[in-house]
């Protein structure tokens, strides 16, 4: 096979790279700073060292152009908020007093000041901090971070390209600030924001930038004509500046659709586009608009969000088609490599045959370099790489891991009746109330309690052989006893066992299901210093034996109050894993649902009357285009019901969701047919409660009254005020009282105080309701 040689030597590049370091040095330095064990200068030095190591790794791998500005101490959207001076008024004094402490206060809050809201970055597992804007917002340029990081790369003799969140995406991801009318449209601030971007671009050019990348992933979503016109105006204005570097506008996570001709016609110097998955349709779409004559095209042909090796021959064919559509074609991943782990070669416990199927950030960088070499010099120069790649693809396709006849036969036999409860909700609710006998405004938590250093040490000691199984299990029993005793003393109505045995809400189950692989070093940033190790869903899924029954039953033996069984739902098991890409997601979801159904049935059989199946990823996995929503929600909600529909009417099924905006999936939440749903709501001031009410949601709900993503402890009065706001939308007989999310990342002192305040708030509002009824 040969390919047309590019008119100019193709360059290899990426849009971003994992930030944490090989041993999560960034996490340790930041958390050390928060605890007062690390100085600000030491933190900055650690960050600078990590940036330097990344640049050297990328250049050493053969990249021709490295990104700068993608590194962040917490979140790149928060960095953009600082860059454009959109500091919320409540945080301005802290930022003025100490820029670093003020930055972290915006991210995490303080005891007196609430943080920025956090939500999902499109349909990924990364979270960003939502900018707060209003008609009085004044923008001011602060390019210090972006200029400094560019200069670091240039001083090392590297070709470097600063990467910024584009102005249109920044505004489209923003929300009205507190006190601003809910219908305020931040995009109306575009003309006020563009001069600030112009100033930043001029600063970067003066610092030596030849190219600057402006990321506009919001344009892959459905956009109104007014929003597309705003994008056209933005890049007309920025593109016609005289004092600017060359502009590369990047979009990813899907096909551009109507936004493609807008960007293709803009007076910018290049586009960086995603050509993976469904976005491969943009190859033909780009040809249909006449290509990019005289411009640079950066082709994202390596999947930046999953961990499977690239099909190099397919990517070369795509690149060959693209060569005639632009002045030059360079090669990249489809998006920032922030969304994948650092290096697959660090995994010592995965079989070599399977390891050859995997590509983390380091391996994807090598694939990009290989592809750039192939289109620049001809495929004859990469024959060894192509042969190894084809062998890896064939090994995976032919492996028995990916095909279990028994699992496939069971999934094929599922009927519609298997995904329906035996009685309608009203009859179930009456049976559950009679069985559980809970008070008005029942209190509960979402599942996990603080994962202390002692628990983490015990798990590490067990893995290392320093602690035997009997000793480890005794520590788990002691922790469960303490958690149950605390909840009973505090007055919580529906208890949890605290999940001390679980390392992660997905990984814990993945390690006990066939078809999943666990990594040791596959860390990916979720938000701030929160890193997760998504398991790899490599083959057909089944459950060899019960996974949670033992510890749930033990906790229930300690109390007369109901203890919830806690499971992670099928959609979240997919969304928070690196999922197989060789069959439809709906097929994989059904396999996972059947495995979890067995667990639900066993929990009920062993005396568990309340079972929670968490689906925080239901909203985040929603396709970015509305045309794709119905098909996704059909299989996603069916998978949940298939998991939960085998129980008796008096067994209460809960679900939980967080990290996202839920207004556009309320019908899907209804379609889950869960008896109770708990939702993140504290930072959004009960917005979701009103969205449920507007839909006419008929079941019980617990919008959170305690923001667990912040270290601050809400007062009883604050929690009570949120409860009263919830009661404006949800009647008291259907309202639950709970935190926003699990408590795994919090410390015991703040958890203890916050839950005591939560229970006190529930008692206060119960009393008010009783007084009002007299």
């Amino acid at each position: 096979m040969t390919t047309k040689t590019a008119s100019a030597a193709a360059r290899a590049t990426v849009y971003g790279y994992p930030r944490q370091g090989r041993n999560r040095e960034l996490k340790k330095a930041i958390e050390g700073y928060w605890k007062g064990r690390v100085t600000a200068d030491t933190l900055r030095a650690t960050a600078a060292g990590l940036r330097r190591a990344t640049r050297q790794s990328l250049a050493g791998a053969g990249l021709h152009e490295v990104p700068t500005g993608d590194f962040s101490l917490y979140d790149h959207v928060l960095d953009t908020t600082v860059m454009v001076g959109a500091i919320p008024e409540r945080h301005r004094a802290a930022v003025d007093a100490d820029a670093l402490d003020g930055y972290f206060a915006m991210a995490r809050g303080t005891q007196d000041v609430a943080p920025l809201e956090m939500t999902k970055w499109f349909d990924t597992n990364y979270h960003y901090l939502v900018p707060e804007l209003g008609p009085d917002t004044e923008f001011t340029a602060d390019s210090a971070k972006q200029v400094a990081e560019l200069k670091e790369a240039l001083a090392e003799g590297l070709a470097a390209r600063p990467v910024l969140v584009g102005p249109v995406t920044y505004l489209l991801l923003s929300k009205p600030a507190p006190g601003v009318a809910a219908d305020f449209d931040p995009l109306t601030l575009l003309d006020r924001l563009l001069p600030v971007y112009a100033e930043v671009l001029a600063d970067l050019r003066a610092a030596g930038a030849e190219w600057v990348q402006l990321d506009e992933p919001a344009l892959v979503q459905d956009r109104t004509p007014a929003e597309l016109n705003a994008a056209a105006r933005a890049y007309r204005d920025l593109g016609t500046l005289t004092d600017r570097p060359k502009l590369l506008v990047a979009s990813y996570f899907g096909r551009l659709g109507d936004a493609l001709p807008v960007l293709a016609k803009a007076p910018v110097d290049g586009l960086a586009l995603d050509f993976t998955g469904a976005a491969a349709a943009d190859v033909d779409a780009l040809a249909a608009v006449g290509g990019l004559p005289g411009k640079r095209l950066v082709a994202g042909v390596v999947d930046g969000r999953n961990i499977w090796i690239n099909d190099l021959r397919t990517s070369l064919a795509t690149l060959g088609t693209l060569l005639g559509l632009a002045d030059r074609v360079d090669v990249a991943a489809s998006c920032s490599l922030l969304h994948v782990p650092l290096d697959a070669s660090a995994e010592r416990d995965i079989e070599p045959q399977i390891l050859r199927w995997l590509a983390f950030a380091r391996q994807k960088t090598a694939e990009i370099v290989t592809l750039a070499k192939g289109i620049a010099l001809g495929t004859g120069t990469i024959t060894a790489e192509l042969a190894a790649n084809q062998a890896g693809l064939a090994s995976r396709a032919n492996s028995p891991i990916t095909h279990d006849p028994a699992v496939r036969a069971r999934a094929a036999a599922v009927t519609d009746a298997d995904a329906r409860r035996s009685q309608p909700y009203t009859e179930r609710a009456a049976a559950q109330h009679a069985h559980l006998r809970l008070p008005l405004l029942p209190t509960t938590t979402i599942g996990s309690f603080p994962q202390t250093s002692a628990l983490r040490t015990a798990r590490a000691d067990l893995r290392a052989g320093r602690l035997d199984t009997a000793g480890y299990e005794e520590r788990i029993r002691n922790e469960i006893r303490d958690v149950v005793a605390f909840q009973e003393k505090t007055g919580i109505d529906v208890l949890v066992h605290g999940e001390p045995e679980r390392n992660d809400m997905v990984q814990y189950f993945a390690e006990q299901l066939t078809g999943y692989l666990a990594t040791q070093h596959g860390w990916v940033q979720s938000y701030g210093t929160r890193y997760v190790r998504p398991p790899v869903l490599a083959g057909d899924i089944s459950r060899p034996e019960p996974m949670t029954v033992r510890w749930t039953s033990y906790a229930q033996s300690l109390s007369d109050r109901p203890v919830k069984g806690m499971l992670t739902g099928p959609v979240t098991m997919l969304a928070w894993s690196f999922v197989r890409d060789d069959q439809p997601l709906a097929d994989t979801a059904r396999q996972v649902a059947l495995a979890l159904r067995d667990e639900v049935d066993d929990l009920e059989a062993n005396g568990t009357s309340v079972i929670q199946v968490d689906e925080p990823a239901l909203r985040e996995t929603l396709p970015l285009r509305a045309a794709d929503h119905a098909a996704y929600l059909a299989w996603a909600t069916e998978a949940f019901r298939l998991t939960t529909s085998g129980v008796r009417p008096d067994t209460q099924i809960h679900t939980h969701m967080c990290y996202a905006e839920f207004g556009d999936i309320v019908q899907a939440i209804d379609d889950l047919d869960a008896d109770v749903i708990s939702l993140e709501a504290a930072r959004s001031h009960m917005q979701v409660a009103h969205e449920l009410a507007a839909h006419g949601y008929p079941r019980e709900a617990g919008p959170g009254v305690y923001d667990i993503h912040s270290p601050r402890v809400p007062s009883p009065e604050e929690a009570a005020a949120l409860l009263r706001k919830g009661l404006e939308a949800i009647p008291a007989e259907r309202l639950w009282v709970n935190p926003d999310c699990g408590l795994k990342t919090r410390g015991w002192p703040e958890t203890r105080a916050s839950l005591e305040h939560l229970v006190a708030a529930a008692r206060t509002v119960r009393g008010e309701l009783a007084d009002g009824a007299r």
Side-chain angles (χ1 to χ4, degrees), residues 373-392:
K373 182 179 179 182
I375 64 168
L377 303 178
T379 53
T381 62
I382 57 170
T383 55
E385 292 91 336
L386 289 174
N389 176 251
Q390 291 301 305

Side-chain angles (χ1 to χ4, degrees), residues 98 226 288 336 375 406 499 517 577 606 710 722:
D98 186 291
S336 171
I375 64 168
E499 305 176 13
L517 305 173
S577 301
N606 282 271
S710 171
L722 281 172

